[in-house]
Amino acid sequence: MGSSVYVASVEGYTGKSTVALGVLQELSKRVERVAVFRPIVRPDAASYGGRDYVLDLLISHDAVSLSYDECVGVSYDEVHRDPDAALDQIVQRYRAVADRGDPVVIVGSDYTDVGTPTEFSYNARIAANLGAPVLLVLNGSGRGPEDLRTLTDITAAELAANHGSLFAVIANRVDADRLEPIVAALSEADVPAYAIPEEPLLSAPAVADLMSAVDGRLLSGDPRLLSREASGLVIAGMTMPNVLDRLFEGAAVITAADRPEVVVGVLMANASQNFPQISAIFLNGGFALPPQILRLIEGVGNTLPLIETDLGTHATSTALTAVRGRLTKDSPRKVNTALALFDQYVDGAALLDRLAVARSSAVTPLMFEHQLIDEAVADRKHIVLPEGEEERILRAADVLLRRGVAELTLLGDRVLISAKAAGLGVDISAARIVSPDDEELGERFAAEYHRLRRHRGVELEQARDVVKDVSYFGTMMVQLGLADGMVSGSVHTTAHTIRPALEIVKTLPDVSVVSSVFFMCLENQVLVYGDCAVNPDPSAEQLADIAISSAATAAAFGIEPRVAMLSYSTGTSGSGTDVEKVSKATSIVRERVPALLVEGPIQYDAAIDSAVAKTKLPESSVAGRATVFVFPDLNTGNNTYKAVQRSANAVAVGPVLQGLKKPVNDLSRGATVRDIVNTVAITAIQAQQTAGRNR
């Protein structure tokens, strides 16, 4: 590989880190590992634990395996002392990174030396000496097309004077109504040009940075919410009704600690669905809150950060106003927002094609996850999450909405969900919240359920009770087209999730059984395991169905299906009812889908290991190359997937249900936020395929 790109700017506050992160993310979709290099690290890094926060952000990405020290060139002080010697050291340190053969994202300096007009010239020299083309990032805030075109021309000339080359131009922080004319103007420079609109969240400071600016102390609240961004300040020096009128989303409220009525009122407003969620309360003046108020706050389980400072009101507001927000690894909302912006407004694939970064033949877990997200974003579907009051679901919803993976409906009590979201510091405002007690929908769902199940003796009154269950309610939304798919199971059993789908959605034609697969993401490939979650002891006919469904699922997610029907014997080496079942199932698969590559009975080692395959089944087109592994029973499948997951550090994505007319997927009750995000993306992709079938 060895491709590199130098992300540079000609001034400060361009949002260069957003672009660098976007390029890194795009690279990680094609290759297993990406390297990062920072030629000049920031001199003010001490405020971030002695580390350059941009470099810290980039090396925290899953695709980067280098340590912080390996990615550092020199400091500003070293450049000032001897620019030529510093350049020599930069080149030497870069070569140590580039020699690994991974694509390298190089991030230029940040213009801390505001009074040094030659800073870009030095970056141009560095880029030329590293042999890296420059991706120029411009600050488009308040600027028009002609201004940015002129700046590009000047920069291109400076690059040429230093023997560097311009690779592409991205105008960042652009006014939304100027995107198209700016792209048109920049495209005249004969390089790819893009424009990204201003996003206030990215320049909003984190509460932790505000707290540091006033030497604050966390008096109450969840420390994790210190990473939340503050979108502005409200100085609460007026009466309580006037304070409430001035609250806005993400505001940090400043009030004297001897105004307990303001503190209590703002905390109540934050917990109410009728007022915006704020980010923090700063208590200034050096006063202590009365003990009765502290007891009251503790008793209601407050999570909102209450921060004490000894500064007065004016000094506090001045210090907080001066803090500028930064994109750091501790700001997950900013990271997800930045990645979504880059994906939406920059053709990342075209940039990499221009860099001539070839796609790796390996597929890492991270690359597979990117594939899922990209496919879901390309055609957004509507997914219902019945467990809307669960913390992991709310955190996942925040990520899904920011990345544009799907439109979401959360089931549950609106007041409870809003309060819980406020307490967690997550933004779910773009989601629809529906109560399972909704009378209009409940009556509609009950009538439909009664129609579908009256042959089973279900009366209308009984149906009204049934559809209030969140799993039935969510499934009815899918059945009636109010949602394209459903994901549940983080706090419910598999049976609770699947039973409504079996009763209401039902199976596809020619499919006799609903089954499941796990995508097993190994170090450099993705395999499909089925069925590891649903059917305890399938018959030969059901096993054939599982194999055909699993092969179709594999193909739908870009995995060429080569199916291994697993047994404790290979070929004709063994006998017994279990082997005969697998042998019969294999014959059924071959009869029903003659073009499908399938082998069975076959042992796992012969299916996965080419050396073993040469000994046991040398003529097989599947042995040693299998991608879809069909287990003879649930006991074998469930234990095997867990053994591989733990022993090989594999990422197991699933279970993914297959065979239903519309997608419904089950979560493990131990599912992480990342698991939920992946499962929703998979469900959205299945919904795309369902829509394709219906068309």
Side-chain angles (χ1 to χ4, degrees):
M1 304 295 174
S3 302
S4 62
V5 60
Y6 197 105
V7 183
S9 56
V10 293
E11 59 191 328
Y13 306 123
T14 61
K16 184 168 71 263
S17 54
T18 294
V19 173
L21 181 64
V23 172
L24 172 56
Q25 179 90 335
E26 197 66 37
L27 280 166
S28 71
K29 297 174 184 178
R30 290 201 183 188
V31 298
E32 297 174 64
R33 294 193 316 256
V34 183
V36 176
F37 187 67
R38 183 81 149 138
I40 309 172
V41 293
R42 299 177 60 89
D44 61 345
S47 60
Y48 288 86
R51 293 160 73 97
D52 180 295
Y53 78 89
V54 175
L55 182 54
D56 222 18
L57 164 70
L58 298 178
I59 67 168
S60 69
H61 194 283
D62 290 342
V64 180
S65 59
L66 295 174
S67 69
Y68 178 92
D69 291 337
E70 288 176 297
C71 302
V72 170
V74 299
S75 68
Y76 271 83
D77 288 341
E78 289 172 292
V79 175
H80 291 157
R81 280 197 301 269
D82 190 335
D84 291 333
L87 182 56
D88 286 343
Q89 187 172 349
I90 288 170
V91 172
Q92 182 180 348
R93 300 214 69 181
Y94 168 76
R95 284 177 178 166
V97 170
D99 284 347
R100 295 166 62 103
D102 303 325
V104 187
V105 178
I106 309 164
V107 187
S109 60
D110 283 341
Y111 293 83
T112 304
D113 291 2
V114 177
T116 305
T118 58
E119 186 160 354
F120 180 75
S121 296
Y122 195 72
N123 277 274
R125 286 181 63 195
I126 296 171
N129 278 274
L130 302 186
V134 170
L135 196 170
L136 178 64
V137 184
L138 302 175
N139 185 350
S141 179
R143 287 174 169 159
E146 292 307 315
D147 294 335
L148 292 172
R149 174 59 202 275
T150 300
L151 189 56
T152 301
D153 290 343
I154 294 171
T155 305
E158 186 67 32
L159 267 175
N162 286 278
H163 311 290
S165 61
L166 184 62
F167 163 66
V169 183
I170 297 178
N172 196 16
R173 306 186 59 213
V174 170
D175 298 339
D177 58 351
R178 291 179 168 178
L179 290 172
E180 290 187 11
I182 283 174
V183 170
L186 295 179
S187 296
E188 295 173 10
D190 293 328
V191 294
Y194 306 96
I196 299 175
E198 176 75 271
E199 170 49 65
L201 176 70
L202 296 181
S203 56
V207 174
D209 293 336
L210 296 179
M211 185 169 76
S212 176
V214 295
D215 293 325
R217 304 170 297 278
L218 184 63
L219 174 66
S220 174
D222 188 341
R224 292 177 296 179
L225 296 188
L226 295 176
S227 65
R228 191 179 181 192
E229 299 76 21
S231 57
L233 304 177
V234 172
I235 301 175
M238 63 289 288
T239 60
M240 195 61 240
N242 288 316
V243 171
L244 294 177
D245 286 342
R246 286 162 174 77
L247 295 178
F248 54 87
E249 192 71 26
V253 176
I254 303 170
T255 188
D258 61 352
R259 295 283 305 277
E261 77 285 358
V262 172
V263 176
V264 173
V266 170
L267 286 175
M268 288 182 63
N270 189 63
S272 169
Q273 62 176 328
N274 296 326
F275 287 87
Q277 293 181 20
I278 66 171
S279 58
I281 300 177
F282 284 84
L283 306 170
N284 61 53
F287 305 109
L289 277 179
Q292 301 94 326
I293 300 299
L294 286 173
R295 281 168 48 210
L296 180 63
I297 292 171
E298 290 170 3
V300 297
N302 172 59
T303 60
L304 183 73
L306 268 63
I307 297 166
E308 295 180 308
T309 175
D310 295 329
L311 300 180
T313 300
H314 177 71
T316 299
S317 60
T318 300
L320 296 183
T321 302
V323 179
R324 182 173 177 80
R326 290 170 170 171
L327 179 59
T328 71
K329 67 175 184 179
D330 298 318
S331 305
R333 298 207 308 175
K334 284 187 179 180
V335 168
N336 285 314
T337 301
L339 291 174
L341 280 172
F342 188 90
D343 284 345
Q344 184 175 354
Y345 292 98
V346 178
D347 188 344
L351 282 181
L352 297 200
D353 288 344
R354 188 173 169 83
L355 270 181
V357 177
R359 186 175 295 277
S360 170
S361 59
V363 180
T364 67
L366 182 62
M367 293 164 71
F368 184 66
E369 289 179 7
H370 285 326
Q371 174 191 326
L372 297 178
I373 297 298
D374 286 349
E375 289 189 31
V377 169
D379 181 12
R380 290 179 65 185
K381 294 300 179 185
H382 187 162
I383 307 301
V384 58
L385 304 174
E387 298 158 329
E389 297 170 6
E390 214 281 324
E391 176 179 335
R392 289 166 294 162
I393 296 294
L394 291 172
R395 292 190 184 279
D398 182 288
V399 175
L400 291 161
L401 293 168
R402 289 184 186 281
R403 296 298 307 276
V405 176
E407 296 176 9
L408 299 180
T409 291
L410 303 175
L411 299 188
D413 181 86
R414 175 177 294 276
V415 174
L416 182 57
I417 289 176
S418 297
K420 198 155 191 176
L424 295 171
V426 298
D427 182 5
I428 57 164
S429 56
R432 181 186 179 200
I433 301 175
V434 175
S435 170
D437 294 322
D438 183 287
E439 291 185 7
E440 182 179 345
L441 287 176
E443 196 59 32
R444 180 181 173 187
F445 293 170
E448 178 65 10
Y449 185 71
H450 169 61
R451 185 186 70 80
L452 292 171
R453 303 294 291 174
R454 61 187 168 195
H455 69 286
R456 294 284 188 173
V458 175
E459 299 295 334
L460 181 59
E461 194 58 40
Q462 182 184 356
R464 290 190 178 104
D465 291 334
V466 168
V467 298
K468 287 184 179 181
D469 179 279
V470 291
S471 291
Y472 278 92
F473 195 95
T475 304
M476 290 303 305
M477 288 187 66
V478 175
Q479 174 68 9
L480 294 177
L482 301 179
D484 299 309
M486 183 180 92
V487 174
S488 190
S490 65
V491 292
H492 290 96
T493 65
T494 295
H496 191 272
T497 299
I498 296 177
R499 186 183 300 113
L502 295 176
E503 293 180 4
I504 298 166
V505 175
K506 303 188 184 301
T507 59
L508 288 164
D510 301 325
V511 174
S512 64
V513 64
V514 172
S515 58
S516 72
V517 295
F518 278 89
F519 291 106
M520 300 301 295
C521 304
L522 305 178
E523 184 180 2
N524 59 4
Q525 65 177 331
V526 179
L527 304 176
V528 174
Y529 283 12
D531 172 12
C532 305
V534 179
N535 297 285
D537 188 16
S539 65
E541 291 75 13
Q542 290 173 327
L543 202 58
D545 256 2
I546 292 169
I548 294 168
S549 294
S550 300
T553 299
F557 286 89
I559 301 167
E560 183 182 353
R562 293 187 291 272
V563 182
M565 307 292 286
L566 297 175
S567 177
Y568 58 77
S569 76
T570 295
T572 58
S573 65
S575 61
T577 55
D578 291 338
V579 178
E580 290 168 5
K581 179 178 81 169
V582 175
S583 181
K584 181 179 178 182
T586 305
S587 298
I588 295 171
V589 173
R590 287 174 174 155
E591 182 180 338
R592 287 177 57 187
V593 191
L596 181 61
L597 296 179
V598 59
E599 189 65 68
I602 186 171
Q603 291 162 288
Y604 191 96
D605 58 348
I608 194 75
D609 190 313
S610 57
V612 177
K614 287 179 182 178
T615 301
K616 294 189 175 183
L617 284 173
E619 304 301 321
S620 173
S621 57
V622 172
R625 304 172 60 236
T627 56
V628 178
F629 296 78
V630 178
F631 295 92
D633 53 58
L634 185 59
N635 182 52
T636 308
N638 193 270
N639 278 295
T640 302
Y641 107 76
K642 288 182 177 177
V644 172
Q645 180 185 27
R646 301 299 176 187
S647 302
N649 284 327
V651 176
V653 179
V656 177
L657 298 184
Q658 53 191 15
L660 290 166
K661 290 180 180 177
K662 296 184 179 183
V664 171
N665 276 312
D666 179 43
L667 295 166
S668 162
R669 275 171 282 179
T672 65
V673 170
R674 190 169 185 171
D675 294 335
I676 297 167
V677 170
N678 287 336
T679 304
V680 170
I682 286 171
T683 308
I685 295 168
Q686 288 179 312
Q688 295 169 4
Q689 295 156 4
T690 298
R693 280 198 307 269
N694 292 338
R695 283 195 295 271

